[in-house]
Amino acid sequence: MQTYRLSALSDNYIFLLHDVWRNIAAVVDPAEPYPVLQQLHKLGAELVAILNTHHHGDHVGANSDLLRQFPQAIVYGGAEDRGRIPGQTVFLREGDRVKFGDRVAEVLFVPGHTRAHIAYYFPSDAPNQPGDLFCGDTLFSGGCGRLFEGTPAQMVNSLTKIRALPDNTSVWCAHEYTLNNLKFAVTVDRHNPTLEARFAEVQTLRNRNESTIPSTLKIEKQTNPFLRWDDLAIQQAMNSRDFVQTFANLRKKKDVF
Ligand code: ZN
Ligand code: FE
């Protein structure tokens, strides 16, 4: 499976998965039709599936347009998103599986950003090959999604599921927010050399207008304060020893950063 990262809107990423052998494609969170159609055209591939993580317009905006051209495409989304995702045909719950070519994604129910948000995890299918996580607006590189419809406790629970995946997992988040996230991260985590190195790397990448995505779960576990509510340094900076309260304080602080 080949993964293409397509830029859309101002800072969204659409991910196009290509099964080279069968020449079929699936698309994760199509914000806009044009980049998807262009890539499909380049590959000469047929779109067979749309994988939505949640109902926001910058993630489902192209569903209807794509369905007009590929009416057979299956539209996956969370069960709780029923009625909010255009063209949705499959309503997924935690532990459900989504087959694409010879790969199978596991569905994680990760509410918090929205009450219905799901993530798609494709485990590694070969030694030395990382698995792939498509996490929408739940986990960003250096940050996490705002809590529009969920509670801090829900988000901690969701991020705990993500944190349990293998370190080498490629993290395909739906926005290029990394630089801003890390500008915040260094204010709450002042003595973390790994974070400093990542911040420098990301500044260099963004100065060259290059992408910071995919990240890896290893990098995120070491540098993303929103995965480190149980780290003493973060707890001290947030004046709490409670996991959920530490996370809640972080999120509140970031909301007004
Ligand atoms: Zn969103
Ligand atoms: Fe978004």
Side-chain angles (χ1 to χ4, degrees):
M1 183 172 88
Q2 185 73 36
T3 304
Y4 294 89
R5 182 193 60 232
L6 314 174
S7 293
L9 304 176
S10 58
D11 50 35
N12 274 82
Y13 289 126
I14 303 169
F15 302 110
L16 189 142
L17 318 181
H18 184 216
D19 181 311
V20 182
W21 184 249
R22 297 171 180 80
N23 206 16
I24 54 172
V27 72
V28 182
D29 283 352
E32 291 185 290
Y34 179 70
V36 178
L37 294 171
Q38 192 186 36
Q39 187 63 38
L40 288 171
H41 183 76
K42 241 189 249 173
L43 298 167
E46 180 201 357
L47 184 73
V48 299
I50 297 173
L51 277 54
N52 291 124
T53 62
H54 66 296
H55 74 290
H56 284 160
D58 60 318
H59 299 257
V60 305
N63 279 21
S64 302
D65 280 327
L66 293 174
L67 283 171
R68 256 192 295 281
Q69 305 230 20
F70 300 95
Q72 269 81 271
I74 301 170
V75 181
Y76 297 92
E80 311 290 328
D81 258 333
R82 187 178 286 271
R84 305 203 293 187
I85 294 179
Q88 184 174 3
T89 44
V90 181
F91 301 84
L92 298 166
R93 297 187 186 278
E94 171 87 16
D96 282 349
R97 280 156 202 279
V98 173
K99 203 171 150 37
F100 170 66
D102 52 10
R103 299 288 298 272
V104 179
E106 298 167 7
V107 174
L108 306 178
F109 181 49
V110 287
H113 176 65
T114 70
R115 58 181 169 79
H117 203 300
I118 58 171
Y120 300 87
Y121 172 59
F122 290 88
S124 164
D125 66 341
N128 305 320
Q129 268 293 112
D132 297 287
L133 174 71
F134 298 93
C135 50
D137 288 355
T138 296
L139 179 66
F140 294 125
S141 183
C144 76
R146 279 175 192 258
L147 303 180
F148 286 119
E149 297 180 350
T151 64
Q154 274 179 326
M155 194 58 144
V156 166
N157 193 44
S158 297
L159 292 171
T160 299
K161 291 180 195 174
I162 289 176
R163 214 171 62 158
L165 299 173
D167 271 358
N168 69 347
T169 303
S170 298
V171 180
W172 304 87
C173 7
H175 289 273
E176 181 60 64
Y177 287 161
T178 317
L179 182 58
N180 262 324
N181 286 338
L182 294 183
K183 283 180 184 168
F184 171 76
V186 294
T187 70
V188 295
D189 190 11
R190 292 171 185 280
H191 306 287
N192 180 345
T194 315
L195 171 58
E196 281 159 31
R198 171 70 173 159
F199 189 30
E201 180 201 14
V202 164
Q203 282 172 311
T204 306
L205 285 169
R206 295 310 294 151
N207 282 338
R208 296 190 197 134
N209 215 9
E210 287 173 30
S211 176
T212 65
I213 305 302
S215 179
T216 68
L217 212 47
K218 183 176 182 182
I219 293 173
E220 296 311 313
K221 285 187 207 176
Q222 292 177 342
T223 63
N224 189 334
F226 292 92
L227 288 181
R228 298 173 57 231
W229 52 79
D230 45 3
D231 184 290
L232 194 58
I234 305 285
Q235 291 181 349
Q236 277 167 350
M238 292 301 109
N239 285 315
S240 176
R241 294 300 296 272
D242 180 81
F243 294 171
V244 172
Q245 196 57 51
T246 298
F247 178 87
N249 292 353
L250 263 177
R251 190 56 263 179
K252 240 184 274 165
K253 234 179 162 198
K254 175 67 168 62
D255 284 347
V256 295
F257 180 71

